[in-house]
Amino acid sequence: MTSQDTSSKTPIIVWFRQDLRLVDQPALHQAARTGRPVIPVYIWAPHEEGAWAPGAASRWWLHHSLQALGASLDAENSSLIIRQGDSLAVLQDLIEETGASAVFWNRRYEPAIIARDMEIKATLAEAEIEAKSFNSALLYEPGTILNKAGTPFKVYTPFYKTILRGSPPAEPLPAPKKIPAPKTVPQSLELDALELLPTLDWAAGFDEAWTPGEAGADAMLESFMSGEMINYVPGRNFPAKRGTSRMSPHLHFGEISPRTVWYRVKEHISVDSRPGIIEQGEQYLRQLVWREFAYQLMFHFPHTPEQPLRDQFLHFPWRKDPKQLKAWQRGMTGYPIVDAGMRELWHTGWMHNRVRMIVGSFLVKHQLITWEEGASWFWDTLVDADLANNTLGWQWIGGCGADAAPYFRIFNPMTQGEKFDGAGDYVRKWIPELTTLPIPFLFSPWEAPTETLRAAGIVLGSTYPLPVVDHKAGRERALNALSESKELALQAQGDSSAG
């Protein structure tokens, strides 16, 4: 049978999820190489995500990413079929409509999705429908990187060293040369029918900052490699400058694969003649492995999105304070470096990683509000909201996760601002009401003399808030809470033993 006769073969459904690309897309690649008609489909089923349905910022990104994927498939004489509803029911309907005899997809690793996909695979197998899944989201399949005892790593450095000593990641697959189309294309919903975009125009700043889609991911990586990567290690700590790759949302939505990033960076630093580029590039790849570490942890410890990895923190005396939580969310804590970060997040759907650590520390330590509240807010407001990375990041700053920063290590928001935003450019960009306040007081406005505040047009408590908590008092309260949690954990352990 010639390639012109593929429409007479039974089609393969390729179920797109968080792999919205054509390059290094294993499910699509394997389906296309069979020569059988391929039916690409995306199913909007947020109710199947458990407690972690995509947040508002993620839905904005998803809309534009699906739009870009649809255009890429159209250019290959293929079509993206959009449906919504229960994933299994939608797939069964498509199988009945098209006569498809196989469904291919790339794996996801969130606990609720693993359970759903296992059920779908078993149900399709019972109906004698071929169901195949592939790894497209990680450098290595979870469970393949273990310590000498055969158990999961809980500390990053030995995990990283084990990867370096082992075999390199599989090389990325090319985009299919041809995506055979079915004789009849199934009906598709219009993308707008999913209602992913906000009804209020709060996402205007997103359009200025981002270009979702495979081409956008490619351009972002190329720009970083030829530019900021040469100064990556020191530059990544200064939020006023573009020092990081900003690849996280592209990786989360699968617009580019980590394997592609790995090998493109390796290739680039092998030919880039700038002094120090090899070391800087390797340090960047170390952060890509940190992402890998996050996924391995979520896979082996699926309770961690909702519970701390370290049991001691099950007894931590967190405070419930809706007023203080809202002040943090809106960037109105009275601490400029914290407020700048939260306002950057609200405007752009992203926050510099150094500032993420600062605002996280402030919430869980100065305000003594649980890391789960922070994780939930980030989940709704970040365009790169990723369950594995969000969980690892918040448990790291909260001292309750794998390889976490000790809880007693409490960032001083004033000195953090002075150290990483010395000229005040970042704070002034996101907090315009402080624009004319001179540097000695920019990170602690309450210490400024009355005449300095008057000259800057600042009325504390009116034009800019007073601190919601005193730094010294908040620090002492956090340390007391840590001691209390240890006592409560010992008490619970004793009660368990007695029982």
Side-chain angles (χ1 to χ4, degrees):
M1 184 176 289
T2 69
S3 60
Q4 302 299 317
D5 301 320
T6 57
S7 61
S8 64
K9 298 180 180 180
T10 56
I12 297 175
I13 295 170
V14 175
W15 180 15
F16 281 81
R17 295 121 69 86
Q18 288 177 354
D19 45 15
L20 307 181
R21 63 181 185 270
L22 303 187
V23 174
D24 197 28
Q25 219 289 15
L28 178 65
H29 181 90
Q30 296 299 331
R33 69 181 298 189
T34 67
R36 293 157 61 183
V38 173
I39 302 173
V41 61
Y42 180 86
I43 304 170
W44 176 238
H47 60 287
E48 296 176 352
E49 304 271 350
W52 300 99
S58 292
R59 293 195 297 272
W60 175 90
W61 190 287
L62 177 61
H63 175 95
H64 293 287
S65 190
L66 287 172
Q67 191 173 56
L69 176 64
S72 295
L73 287 168
D74 287 345
E76 299 297 327
N77 295 314
S78 183
S79 299
L80 179 63
I81 308 304
I82 296 175
R83 298 281 177 98
Q84 64 178 335
D86 294 338
S87 296
L88 176 58
V90 170
L91 291 172
Q92 289 172 325
D93 287 346
L94 276 170
I95 289 167
E96 184 175 352
E97 291 172 27
T98 64
S101 59
V103 182
F104 290 1
W105 67 80
N106 295 309
R107 289 187 280 276
R108 290 176 54 183
Y109 300 96
E110 300 87 346
I113 300 302
I114 289 176
R116 179 198 68 181
D117 289 354
M118 289 177 65
E119 180 183 356
I120 289 176
K121 186 173 281 191
T123 302
L124 293 177
E126 288 179 6
E128 298 184 343
I129 300 296
E130 182 183 14
K132 283 187 176 181
S133 63
F134 307 86
N135 170 29
S136 81
L138 299 175
L139 299 173
Y140 302 93
E141 191 72 8
T144 60
I145 308 297
L146 300 171
N147 60 28
K148 292 180 180 179
T151 58
F153 285 98
K154 293 184 181 180
V155 179
Y156 173 69
T157 299
F159 175 82
Y160 173 68
K161 289 181 177 179
T162 298
I163 282 182
L164 291 187
R165 289 194 299 265
S167 300
E171 293 194 13
L173 300 165
K177 293 181 179 179
K178 180 181 180 182
I179 305 173
K183 186 174 182 179
T184 302
V185 177
Q187 288 188 340
S188 173
L189 290 173
E190 293 293 330
L191 179 56
D192 288 341
L194 302 186
E195 297 181 339
L196 299 172
L197 295 177
T199 53
L200 299 175
D201 192 23
W202 52 260
F206 291 17
D207 290 307
E208 301 169 8
W210 303 104
T211 305
E214 189 169 10
D218 184 81
M220 186 73 82
L221 179 60
E222 189 61 38
S223 174
F224 171 69
M225 289 190 303
S226 60
E228 297 86 359
M229 193 166 70
I230 187 60
N231 197 43
Y232 176 68
V233 174
R236 66 185 178 185
N237 279 312
F238 298 94
K241 299 179 179 180
R242 180 86 174 253
T244 61
S245 72
R246 297 167 67 92
M247 290 298 295
S248 50
H250 297 292
L251 282 163
H252 170 72
F253 285 94
E255 297 167 347
I256 192 169
S257 76
R259 292 186 297 229
T260 296
V261 174
W262 181 275
Y263 280 100
R264 282 186 60 184
V265 169
K266 287 281 191 182
E267 181 182 7
H268 183 90
I269 63 179
S270 71
V271 298
D272 192 329
S273 61
R274 291 177 293 175
I277 191 65
I278 293 177
E279 178 185 357
Q280 299 297 314
E282 294 291 352
Q283 286 299 316
Y284 176 70
L285 292 179
R286 184 183 177 104
Q287 296 306 306
L288 191 66
V289 177
W290 176 261
R291 175 183 181 272
E292 198 85 1
F293 184 53
Y295 272 85
Q296 302 281 338
L297 286 167
M298 184 175 66
F299 179 81
H300 291 291
F301 305 101
H303 65 283
T304 51
E306 285 84 27
Q307 297 178 31
L309 181 64
R310 296 176 60 192
D311 290 343
Q312 172 195 327
F313 284 84
L314 291 169
H315 309 281
F316 199 89
W318 300 111
R319 299 171 57 249
K320 287 190 178 296
D321 192 327
K323 185 177 180 181
Q324 285 229 350
L325 175 61
K326 186 174 182 180
W328 178 82
Q329 291 171 337
R330 300 301 179 186
M332 296 292 286
T333 68
Y335 286 87
I337 191 67
V338 174
D339 294 342
M342 298 307 293
R343 296 186 194 187
E344 179 189 27
L345 171 62
W346 186 256
H347 183 76
T348 68
W350 188 83
M351 189 192 302
H352 188 277
N353 188 61
R354 166 57 61 174
V355 187
R356 294 189 196 199
M357 291 189 284
I358 297 170
V359 305
S361 175
F362 189 85
L363 180 74
V364 301
K365 297 173 183 179
H366 286 81
Q367 295 179 289
L368 211 64
I369 295 174
T370 174
W371 61 272
E372 295 167 79
E373 291 282 11
S376 178
W377 185 251
F378 272 25
W379 184 258
D380 195 48
T381 54
L382 280 170
V383 293
D384 64 358
D386 181 279
L387 191 58
N389 286 277
N390 200 39
T391 299
L392 177 59
W394 275 100
Q395 290 209 15
W396 185 89
I397 200 65
C400 59
D403 205 8
Y407 185 85
F408 58 77
R409 185 179 297 165
I410 299 171
F411 286 158
N412 181 321
M414 291 81 75
T415 57
Q416 288 286 307
E418 293 165 359
K419 184 176 181 179
F420 297 110
D421 188 33
D425 294 338
Y426 180 73
V427 162
R428 290 192 175 100
K429 177 178 181 178
W430 296 112
I431 311 180
E433 56 266 44
L434 300 182
T435 298
T436 58
L437 191 64
I439 279 296
F441 309 108
L442 185 61
F443 302 104
S444 52
W446 60 91
E447 295 181 345
T450 302
E451 58 271 21
T452 301
L453 292 172
R454 186 183 299 115
I458 297 169
V459 179
L460 292 179
S462 177
T463 62
Y464 185 71
L466 287 160
V468 295
V469 60
D470 176 74
H471 167 62
K472 183 178 179 181
R475 185 178 186 279
E476 290 176 355
R477 182 174 63 183
L479 294 175
N480 290 336
L482 178 62
S483 297
E484 183 181 346
S485 74
K486 292 178 179 178
E487 294 174 5
L488 290 171
L490 288 173
Q491 181 180 339
Q493 185 178 6
D495 291 345
S496 176
S497 299

